[in-house]
Amino acid sequence: MALNTRLQVITRRAEEECLWLAALLSDEEKTQKGTARQWSARDTIAHIAHWYGVMAADLAGPRDRPAVDYGDFTKINDQIFHEHESQEWSEIMALLNHSIDSIVGSLEHLSTKELMDPEAFKWTNGQPLWRWLAGIGYNHTTGHLGELYRSRGQAEHCVHLMKRSMHLLNDLIDEPTWHAVNNYNIACAYSLSGQVEKALPFLKTAFRAVSYTHLRAHETVLDLVCRLLL
């Protein structure tokens, strides 16, 4: 399967993951509003939909646009929260669907070379487009959905989500550092669900693939190691 097609699949899958979680929510949960520091399920989906909207606009715009320095992401996330806090559930889901459709439509016209070239799109700041789409898109989505499952007392749902994510992302491209990050993420999911014995093999695989320094830049590895050892 071409890289182009694989990226379309994981982009569609991100929307499906949101819909699968939404199917577990009551009508009350779909309308419940949280705070800028404690998001509700509705706020989480709105945040995901917002970033897919940003990605859709980026892909539809000029390739030579300079990269955006978002600066303090806490401040950015607060702004996103307030931008969508008065929206209805149906509006949020419509934004997600429209943005996903737009991204997939843009992907249909991109070659593997364009997706792999770190200089093809200036606004990705030296990152190849495939990694931007998979990381800021699908990985970002599953991370937030996993946190939401855990907050609902459904840690096993989070594990299943991250297992699906790991297989899809590892199949995306054969790159050791990319696979290490995906293995590390499933190790985190197992650890946070109390399944330490299942977390360790994935963590070992991640460390064998890349250096500690690389993974530390991605997440707080020391925190995970401490959880596994205590």
Side-chain angles (χ1 to χ4, degrees), residues 134-144 162 165 169 178 181-182 185:
I136 298 177
Y138 185 72
N139 235 343
H140 172 252
T141 297
T142 56
H144 280 302
M162 298 313 295
S165 171
L169 293 172
W178 178 247
V181 167
N182 300 328
N185 286 342

Side-chain angles (χ1 to χ4, degrees), residues 19-214:
L19 291 172
W20 289 336
L21 188 145
L24 301 176
L25 302 177
S26 65
D27 290 340
E28 181 180 356
E29 287 177 298
K30 291 177 181 178
T31 58
Q32 182 181 2
K33 297 179 181 179
T35 68
R37 292 294 171 272
Q38 189 169 1
W39 297 349
S40 66
R42 175 194 162 284
D43 302 325
T44 299
I45 302 298
H47 178 86
I48 292 168
H50 177 95
W51 279 110
Y52 270 114
V54 171
M55 294 171 70
D58 284 341
L59 279 170
R63 296 188 180 193
D64 60 353
R65 180 180 58 77
V68 176
D69 181 5
Y70 288 104
D72 183 356
F73 265 99
T74 299
K75 183 178 179 180
I76 294 295
N77 287 338
D78 287 352
Q79 291 173 349
I80 293 171
F81 171 82
H82 291 302
E83 182 176 337
H84 298 281
E85 63 180 332
S86 62
Q87 281 187 316
E88 299 292 335
W89 176 261
S90 59
E91 293 179 287
I92 292 168
M93 297 309 292
L95 171 61
L96 177 64
N97 178 255
H98 175 75
S99 300
I100 294 291
D101 282 349
S102 178
I103 291 168
V104 170
S106 295
L107 278 170
E108 290 174 351
H109 307 290
L110 296 175
S111 67
T112 298
K113 181 179 179 180
E114 291 171 310
L115 292 167
M116 296 285 289
D117 183 0
E119 299 299 325
F121 296 82
K122 299 301 182 184
W123 41 264
T124 62
N125 201 24
Q127 190 177 68
L129 188 64
W130 76 263
R131 193 152 189 159
W132 181 82
L133 285 163
I136 298 177
Y138 185 72
N139 235 343
H140 172 252
T141 297
T142 56
H144 280 302
L145 294 180
E147 290 173 11
L148 184 52
Y149 278 127
R150 285 195 294 269
S151 72
R152 290 169 51 83
Q154 297 169 312
E156 197 58 36
H157 281 54
C158 173
V159 169
H160 289 312
L161 166 64
M162 298 313 295
K163 285 171 70 176
R164 292 193 297 272
S165 171
M166 181 190 71
H167 290 305
L168 278 171
L169 293 172
N170 278 350
D171 286 344
L172 191 61
I173 195 164
D174 187 17
E175 182 181 286
T177 56
W178 178 247
H179 288 198
V181 167
N182 300 328
N183 278 275
Y184 173 72
N185 286 342
I186 186 62
C188 285
Y190 274 125
S191 174
L192 290 169
S193 70
Q195 301 180 68
V196 174
E197 71 288 349
K198 292 184 178 180
L200 283 171
F202 290 99
L203 186 64
K204 290 177 180 177
T205 298
F207 273 107
R208 280 197 297 267
V210 296
S211 69
Y212 168 84
T213 302
H214 178 88

